[in-house]
Amino acid sequence: MGELIDLNRKTITDADLPATTATDAEVAQAIAAHEAKTDPHPSLWARIVAGFLSLAGGQRILKNNPPITYTSFFGGSNHLELRTDNGSNPILAFHKGGISAVSLYHFGYGNELLRLQSADGLNAALIHDGNIGTKTAGNANGLMLDGGVAIKTRLIEGTTAAEQGLGVNIAHGLDPAKIVSVQVIVRATSGAIVQANNLNGLGATRHRFDWAVIGANLFITNVADQSASLVSRPFSALITYRS
């Protein structure tokens, strides 16, 4: 058992304290060292940023957003906002270390809403709903031409008649009034691809045929005595029509 000290008759000195008890000088020294640190108490935001930058593995941001509007770029209306204040481009990067890399960035309005800059030098705009009509791409209504005309295509395939001078017909399933063009090819026995009313190779090789759209049907006819190489051969017809 330790020494029993009468505090009324004795002054406590450092020698009377346990070795683990900090003295006034040691406490003052610890406070001074703490105050000398660059940022002993970082702000909550600084700690959140540091934690975010050190994230590893898959992360999820769960937040229900209001309906999308022209103000959805504000931080309170989305999951993540990339913002600059000096006119530079907000950038999101994707990097396969040592292999390839690309940056997705916002440049401006119109066709420049989003662009890609790759590490190999490619710089290209992304297609979006506002400019898709000027690109070689289709949508649910077909390919958009000048004037807002939407067209589609339909492929029909079959086999020609088994004799020269005869034809076959296949229902195309389209409104004839909306058909704007038809392209037909027949694969001859020689392996050649023969187009409609092909006048080349008449005589010994004999590969000539005709086609016609009559009402609801597409007709493919072997020309009499001029289609020996086109008998019972596969054909393809591509019909372009207004949607």
Side-chain angles (χ1 to χ4, degrees):
M1 182 172 179
E3 178 185 0
L4 182 61
I5 299 176
D6 185 354
L7 298 180
N8 293 319
R9 297 184 178 181
K10 181 178 181 180
T11 301
I12 300 299
T13 65
D14 289 346
D16 296 317
L17 297 176
T20 56
T21 302
T23 65
D24 291 345
E26 291 171 338
V27 171
Q29 183 181 11
I31 292 175
H34 185 71
E35 290 176 343
K37 290 185 176 180
T38 302
D39 191 2
H41 297 294
S43 68
L44 176 61
W45 176 245
R47 283 179 282 171
I48 291 174
V49 170
F52 181 81
L53 295 178
S54 64
L55 290 178
Q59 305 299 325
R60 174 186 297 170
I61 301 176
L62 178 59
K63 175 181 176 292
N64 295 324
N65 289 320
I68 188 77
T69 70
Y70 69 95
T71 62
S72 292
F73 63 88
F74 284 123
S77 300
N78 55 55
H79 285 84
L80 182 65
E81 178 186 1
L82 306 182
R83 176 179 175 177
T84 62
D85 289 324
N86 64 352
S88 58
N89 305 314
I91 301 172
L92 183 63
F94 302 87
H95 189 185
K96 295 170 66 175
I99 301 176
S100 62
V102 64
S103 297
L104 175 67
Y105 68 98
H106 168 54
F107 186 77
Y109 287 125
N111 292 348
E112 307 291 2
L113 279 177
L114 290 174
R115 295 187 65 87
L116 291 171
Q117 174 68 65
S118 67
D120 64 358
L122 172 68
N123 189 296
L126 293 184
I127 295 176
H128 58 84
D129 289 343
N131 66 13
I132 195 170
T134 64
K135 306 295 182 181
T136 55
N139 57 30
N141 295 320
L143 181 66
M144 300 301 296
L145 302 180
D146 292 342
V149 177
I151 63 170
K152 293 183 178 181
T153 56
R154 177 165 297 180
L155 177 64
I156 297 177
E157 296 181 303
T159 304
T160 61
E163 297 181 31
Q164 296 188 69
L166 298 182
V168 296
N169 64 283
I170 298 179
H172 52 68
L174 301 171
D175 180 355
K178 293 186 176 182
I179 294 177
V180 295
S181 68
V182 180
Q183 183 178 8
V184 181
I185 61 172
V186 178
R187 291 168 174 80
T189 55
S190 62
I193 295 178
V194 184
Q195 294 182 343
N197 294 316
N198 192 311
L199 298 179
N200 297 320
L202 295 179
T205 54
R206 298 178 180 268
H207 38 230
R208 184 178 180 187
F209 71 96
D210 286 318
W211 65 263
V213 173
I214 303 176
N217 294 288
L218 169 68
F219 291 82
I220 309 294
T221 303
N222 296 333
V223 175
D225 299 323
Q226 298 183 45
S227 55
S229 64
L230 305 183
V231 171
S232 298
R233 298 301 300 164
F235 71 83
S236 300
L238 186 65
I239 301 178
T240 304
Y241 63 98
R242 297 171 65 105
S243 63

